[in-house]
Amino acid sequence: MIPKIILGRGERATRRLISYLYGPGSANEHTDPHLVASWNGFAPDPGRSPHRHPKDVEEQLAAQLDQPVKMLGKRAPATTVWHCPVRAAPEDPILTDAQWADIARRIVAAAGIAPTGDEEACRWVAVRHADDHIHIAATLVRQDGRRPRRDHDIRAVQREARKIEADFGLRRLHPGDGTAAKRPTSKEHFKAKRQGQETTSREILRARVRRAVAAASSEAEFFALLEATGVRVRPKAGPSGDVLGYSVALPQDLNKNGEPVWFSGSTLAGDLSLPQIRRRLTSTGPEPATARRGDPWHEATAATERIPHHITHSADHIVQGQLVALGGTLALLPLTAPASVRSELERAAAAFERATRSRITADLASARVLRRSVQTILRTPAATGDGAGLAMLLDAVLIAVALAAHWHRTHQHAQQEGAAKQALIHLHTAHAQVAIPALNGLARRTPGLQTRQRYARLLQQAVPKHADRILQDPAWNALATTLTDAERAGHDLSVLLDQALGRRTLDDARNPARTLTWRIHRLGRRHAPGPRAQAARSRSGAAQFSSTTIRPAEATTGVVRSQPRRR
């Protein structure tokens, strides 16, 4: 159940609101508008008055609501109308008028508009003109001439809505923390429907601005990218001429006067204001001229693989910075993906966007490597390759998003946890569509039986706990091909497996062979150590042998593996 508080001002604000509530609606969506409750139970109902013209009854109702305001004369407050639509979820049962009346009384009591038992409280009415919602309209002067005490009414109403959901058996929404982006209004939804759009202009602009922020390395590039995606940009300059903010609009989104409908960055989302965007761009900083670039997919995957370690070991502000960078990665991935999975990745990015914002201040500089590497992928069309890079990165993203959901749960970030879980659903779908063709391509080059048997024995020694699962995984043949490629490149497979398993265990991997395939694929692309380096590593391992305690499994296999270095 979603309540939303809107304040109105002006001499005829009450009359305009009543006229709207009893009118046809902006898209003829209002059907059978009628009162379900009022401050005294006897308010005139324009929708159910057979003896008088509805417009006359609307005037009468507005006059009765306004009476306490009019009594104050010039001492009346500038803001006089309190309007609160309350909407049930689509899957909720249809409530009766009596149930909606009870809900309305609880909402106005929680808001301080009309506390229970207070006969001098504000005047209010609840109008129903659809199965799934009501509108509560109140005037903000009590009948004794005083102002209502509605401190923090938005939070109070949201808390009461959560209790109403439990009491009426409705869909339970997560409590918020004030960091959610502003929802589109009902007018915006109806306008999008009339224009044949699946989403509102506000949501389209929010996605494009967020994508431009993730892709840009400077403020000028940010504005250029917005315009390149068909967004109209209007900078806001101060008296000194410095740009202090910006507004955006879609060319086809016009008001009744034929003018663009502008949205400031801060109204799209709190982290999309210009000061916040500048902070993110500054924290990334320009890349050093001496930096040597490797495969951007591998670099992005390596940076993403470090996120779970940060989540479990780093301070909260660093974790928050990692999640912001992960959200930016998801925003850009649809631009690099095949058309068949683009929509699923866009849904995942839209869902996870909520999981990137909390009350914790983000250390954005800690995730600059991930941000830069994904930007490089975007700017290097040839880097898309055969899909293996995207599948490899998505495999790491899945683990990071799952850990993000757990982190939010431990911090009681209910909305963010739900958003991360929703993103996981879309990511699993997208990953399957990307990974299966890439794995099938590797499997077509599977080595012979003797080579696979040798690799199987190696896995039994290196990872006895998961060897059977790996060998039964459909991706086993693809893993065997990847091991062959690494071995031909000069890598010691025992060392390579140690490195792959040291980054993260396979305990939470649904498909261990698939996960290991992408880790070996990335590590195998690195420069293989020469004979002298391998010999030195062997001598180092032998020196450590005498001081290493042999575990039972190692005593059985005769293999001792050095502990992987912790990051």
Side-chain angles (χ1 to χ4, degrees):
M1 177 162 289
I2 303 174
K4 181 179 180 181
I5 296 174
I6 306 166
L7 300 179
R9 58 193 301 165
E11 186 177 350
R12 291 182 59 80
T14 305
R15 181 66 184 89
R16 288 195 300 269
L17 177 57
I18 295 300
S19 178
Y20 166 74
L21 295 180
Y22 281 94
S26 56
N28 294 315
E29 71 275 15
H30 295 179
T31 58
D32 187 25
H34 59 279
L35 284 184
V36 295
S38 65
W39 76 95
N40 60 2
F42 301 103
D45 185 359
R48 297 290 172 85
S49 179
H51 304 296
R52 298 181 60 186
H53 192 278
K55 290 298 181 183
D56 295 336
V57 184
E58 288 178 20
E59 287 283 359
Q60 182 185 5
L61 177 59
Q64 290 191 18
L65 286 169
D66 270 339
Q67 186 176 3
V69 178
K70 300 298 184 184
M71 288 176 62
L72 292 181
K74 294 182 179 180
R75 295 184 293 110
T79 301
T80 58
V81 173
W82 189 89
H83 174 205
C84 181
V86 185
R87 185 178 298 274
E91 62 269 28
D92 285 340
I94 296 177
L95 302 177
T96 65
D97 281 358
Q99 289 173 315
W100 276 118
D102 185 26
I103 290 171
R105 294 187 189 97
R106 292 176 62 170
I107 292 292
V108 294
I113 296 296
T116 303
D118 186 350
E119 296 182 357
E120 297 297 325
C122 298
R123 296 186 175 188
W124 61 274
V125 294
V127 179
R128 181 181 187 180
H129 49 50
D131 287 337
D132 63 347
H133 71 280
I134 60 172
H135 290 258
I136 304 173
T139 45
L140 292 176
V141 175
R142 292 167 49 88
Q143 296 182 79
D144 57 11
R146 294 184 293 129
R147 310 287 177 84
R149 295 187 63 180
R150 53 184 192 87
D151 299 333
H152 308 293
D153 56 349
I154 295 177
R155 294 183 184 179
V157 165
Q158 290 292 344
R159 285 195 299 268
E160 188 63 27
R162 304 293 81 79
K163 296 176 184 178
I164 291 171
E165 291 162 358
D167 293 343
F168 284 80
L170 307 178
R171 177 187 173 188
R172 304 289 294 274
L173 298 183
H174 299 303
D177 60 0
T179 62
K182 185 177 180 181
R183 295 177 181 271
T185 65
S186 57
K187 290 183 179 181
E188 291 173 16
H189 278 297
F190 289 126
K191 185 176 183 180
K193 186 176 180 179
R194 290 197 307 271
Q195 294 177 342
Q197 297 177 182
E198 294 184 1
T199 55
T200 64
S201 296
R202 181 189 299 274
E203 293 167 307
I204 294 172
L205 288 168
R206 183 184 298 145
R208 294 188 186 181
V209 171
R210 196 167 295 283
R211 184 172 290 174
V213 173
S217 56
S218 67
E219 185 175 329
E221 187 178 13
F222 164 68
F223 287 122
L225 288 172
L226 277 180
E227 292 178 345
T229 58
V231 175
R232 301 183 67 174
V233 180
R234 183 175 66 182
K236 177 184 177 182
S240 64
D242 296 333
V243 177
L244 304 178
Y246 72 99
S247 297
V248 289
L250 293 176
Q252 70 275 16
D253 186 20
L254 307 176
N255 60 21
K256 61 182 180 181
N257 299 321
E259 301 167 338
V261 178
W262 295 97
F263 296 86
S264 66
S266 59
T267 61
L268 295 177
D271 60 337
L272 294 182
S273 66
L274 188 57
Q276 291 294 328
I277 291 173
R278 283 171 172 164
R279 176 171 167 261
R280 190 180 304 187
L281 295 174
T282 303
S283 66
T284 303
E287 188 173 22
T290 58
R292 296 177 59 184
R293 302 298 312 182
D295 186 313
W297 287 105
H298 291 189
E299 291 183 349
T301 303
T304 305
E305 285 181 338
R306 289 193 286 272
I307 293 178
H309 175 83
H310 284 298
I311 290 175
T312 54
H313 295 91
S314 298
D316 286 347
H317 66 286
I318 292 178
V319 177
Q320 186 63 47
Q322 297 289 322
L323 298 186
V324 170
L326 183 58
T329 299
L330 289 176
L332 294 180
L333 279 186
L335 301 179
T336 69
S340 58
V341 297
R342 204 166 291 158
S343 60
E344 283 294 338
L345 289 176
E346 287 175 346
R347 294 187 187 100
F352 191 75
E353 178 266 333
R354 180 67 186 95
T356 64
R357 284 178 284 114
S358 73
R359 290 287 184 184
I360 299 172
T361 302
D363 179 359
L364 300 173
S366 65
R368 61 166 62 93
V369 174
L370 176 58
R371 179 179 168 89
R372 286 172 178 165
S373 56
V374 176
Q375 288 175 344
T376 302
I377 291 172
L378 188 64
R379 294 164 183 167
T380 312
T384 55
D386 57 359
L390 177 59
M392 177 177 61
L393 178 55
L394 284 177
D395 196 76
V397 166
L398 280 169
I399 297 175
V401 172
L403 265 292
H406 174 75
W407 183 80
H408 281 307
R409 181 166 63 254
T410 60
H411 287 70
Q412 298 183 342
H413 299 162
Q415 288 190 0
Q416 291 87 337
E417 178 194 352
K421 289 181 177 179
Q422 185 63 36
L424 271 177
I425 296 173
H426 299 297
L427 286 172
H428 277 298
T429 302
H431 183 264
Q433 295 177 11
V434 172
I436 289 175
L439 292 171
N440 289 341
L442 290 171
R444 283 192 287 269
R445 298 191 291 111
T446 303
L449 177 61
Q450 289 185 345
T451 302
R452 295 201 305 274
Q453 290 175 341
R454 178 164 59 88
Y455 292 159
R457 290 192 296 270
L458 182 62
L459 287 169
Q460 291 286 357
Q461 296 173 349
V463 56
K465 180 180 178 181
H466 300 287
D468 290 341
R469 291 178 60 216
I470 293 172
L471 296 176
Q472 294 171 9
D473 193 316
W476 159 235
N477 287 335
L479 174 58
T481 301
T482 306
L483 290 169
T484 300
D485 292 342
E487 194 170 36
R488 287 174 179 171
H491 287 279
D492 183 328
L493 294 188
S494 297
V495 174
L496 208 61
L497 282 169
D498 263 344
Q499 293 175 346
L501 296 169
R503 298 182 178 279
R504 183 170 178 81
T505 68
L506 298 175
D507 292 340
D508 53 2
R510 291 187 178 184
N511 305 95
R514 186 184 71 188
T515 299
L516 205 52
T517 295
W518 302 128
R519 295 183 188 178
I520 297 295
H521 177 78
R522 183 171 63 81
L523 293 171
R525 295 293 181 90
R526 293 179 176 178
H527 181 67
R532 290 185 180 180
Q534 291 188 12
R537 181 175 293 169
S538 298
R539 289 194 298 272
S540 174
Q544 293 176 358
F545 180 83
S546 59
S547 61
T548 303
T549 302
I550 301 177
R551 292 190 281 272
E554 295 168 342
T556 302
T557 61
V559 175
V560 176
R561 291 179 290 119
S562 59
Q563 291 296 315
R565 232 177 4 179
R566 293 187 179 273
R567 296 201 170 193

